[in-house]
Each structure stands twice: as structure tokens, then as C-alpha cells.
Amino acid sequence: MFGLGPEEWAAVLLSLNVAFWAMAVSLPFGVLVAYALARWRFAGRQVLNGLVHLPLILPPVVTGYLLLVAFNPRAPMGQLLEWLGTPVAFRWTGAALAAAIMGFPLMVRAIRLSIEAVDPALEEAAATLGASRFRVFFTVTFPLILPGVLTGAILAFAKAMGEFGATITFVSNIPGQTQTLPSAIYAFLQVPGGEAAALRLVLVSIFVAMAALMLSEWLSRRVARRVGA
């Protein structure tokens, strides 16, 4: 399919792996942060909201540089991860971390809008019947916001697939190790005769992005119908 060579397939598969883990690991945190911003009132709420959306405003290269400063092998956090056996600098795990941070604002925004659309009276009614906050969330709130959760997760996945600036700054562009789909396209465009390979990967990127958006719409409608029923 698409006539891809081994190096191109490696970039595609690595991107899918990076995007999946970036989405899966950040999803619980995304739900928690979105719920906190939508329902809780606490000191520093606006600061948290600003930090969540900061990656959308900062140049991606700046985000990648900050990650490199914080997680390089000589930094305290980088040394701790090295000791734990999970280094991230110049590894595919670092690409997943950078992609997760860049996609996190989109995820949180989609989930937060879904939570704000839920009538708090429904949650209060469940609480008055003796349900704990934990039970209220998973039996009342979560089923109602599930379309938004799915939308946020798929948007974060699609963003992770296309992340370039923060990733290449943080983990470089090492074929077979950190070379994701956008990095491979960039690399092919830097060498004579690489335009054909770059075009093939561009078509793959468009296909994956459209598939993710269509899946998001289909899942949201399906879940919304079930919730309504």
C-alpha cells in the first residue's frame, strides 16, 4: 500500500506507536485536568488552565528545547529516568512524551466542553442519594461525556502523528529509533531525489489524519445515540 519502502514503513509504524502511547498515557490525566477545570474552583485554576494551553501558543521548538533541558541525561529528572531504566532523551519514548504534551491541550479542551455540557443537577441528584463522588463520576458523568472523551483522544492521536518541531528538537531524527513520519518527510526533502518518498509519506499522513477524523465523528455519534437511548 502506497508503495512504501522499508525505511518509510519504519517511520510510519514508529509514528503509530508513538501516537498511540502518547494518547493512551495522557488520557487519564486529560480527563482529570478537564474535570478539575470544569467543576472545581481552587487557587491557581487560571494558572493551570494557562499551563495546559501553553503548548498551543509556544513555538513547538521551544517546547522541545524545554523538554531537552529537563530530561537530558545530565539533568536530575533525566538521571532519575536513566536509573529507573526508562530514559526518554533521544528515544522513541521521548517522542511519545513530546507528542503527548503537544496534543494534551486539544484533548483537555474537548473533554472539558463535554463536562461543562452536563447538567450539574444530575450529579447533585446522584450525590443526594448517597453516591460517592467517585461513583457519581463513573455512573453519571463519564457515560455522558464519553463522546467528548473519544473525540479528545482521537484529536490527540492525530496531533501526535503530525508532531514535528518539539519531537525533532527533543529526540533528534534517528532512522529506526526516533524518525517519525513528519521527520522522515523532512529528511527525504533534504536529499536529491527524495521528493517521491516524501510524497508517499505525505499521502500516508493525509490518509491517517482523515481516517482519525472520520473515526472520531463515527464513534461520537454512535456513543451519543447510546447515551440518548
Side-chain angles (χ1 to χ4, degrees):
M1 186 177 182
F2 297 104
L4 302 180
E7 185 178 354
E8 297 157 49
W9 270 118
V12 172
L13 294 176
L14 180 62
S15 288
L16 290 171
N17 186 52
V18 164
F20 171 79
W21 285 109
M23 178 268 294
V25 173
S26 62
L27 185 56
F29 299 99
V31 174
L32 177 61
V33 171
Y35 189 85
L37 292 174
R39 287 287 190 263
W40 298 345
R41 296 295 179 267
F42 54 92
R45 180 171 172 270
Q46 293 304 320
V47 174
L48 175 61
N49 186 56
L51 290 174
V52 167
H53 291 89
L54 197 59
L56 289 179
I57 303 169
L58 288 176
V61 174
V62 174
T63 302
Y65 173 76
L66 294 175
L67 287 172
L68 187 59
V69 170
F71 292 98
N72 75 80
R74 289 177 293 180
M77 184 61 73
Q79 292 177 351
L80 175 62
L81 292 176
E82 288 276 357
W83 181 74
L84 293 174
T86 56
V88 293
F90 306 107
R91 307 289 180 93
W92 76 267
T93 49
L97 175 61
I101 290 174
M102 296 302 296
F104 195 69
L106 299 177
M107 176 187 291
V108 169
R109 186 163 184 81
I111 300 173
R112 179 182 178 181
L113 290 174
S114 295
I115 295 172
E116 290 175 342
V118 174
D119 188 353
L122 297 174
E123 299 169 324
E124 293 169 4
T128 58
L129 294 175
S132 64
R133 286 188 177 183
F134 186 82
R135 187 173 181 183
V136 168
F137 178 79
F138 280 101
T139 59
V140 178
T141 310
F142 189 76
L144 294 174
I145 68 170
L146 188 54
V149 173
L150 293 174
T151 299
I154 294 175
L155 286 175
F157 177 88
K159 174 64 176 176
M161 282 290 297
E163 172 51 36
F164 174 70
T167 302
I168 199 169
T169 305
F170 183 34
V171 298
S172 190
N173 187 10
I174 307 171
Q177 297 184 43
T178 65
Q179 188 177 75
T180 57
L181 195 55
S183 301
I185 293 172
Y186 175 80
F188 280 124
L189 289 176
Q190 304 307 304
V191 297
E195 292 82 1
L199 178 59
R200 289 194 292 270
L201 292 179
V202 167
L203 294 176
V204 172
S205 299
I206 295 173
F207 175 80
V208 172
M210 287 300 298
L213 290 174
M214 292 173 64
L215 178 62
S216 172
E217 290 293 324
W218 180 79
L219 286 174
S220 296
R221 287 196 299 267
R222 186 177 179 86
V223 173
R225 283 197 298 268
R226 287 190 176 184
V227 171

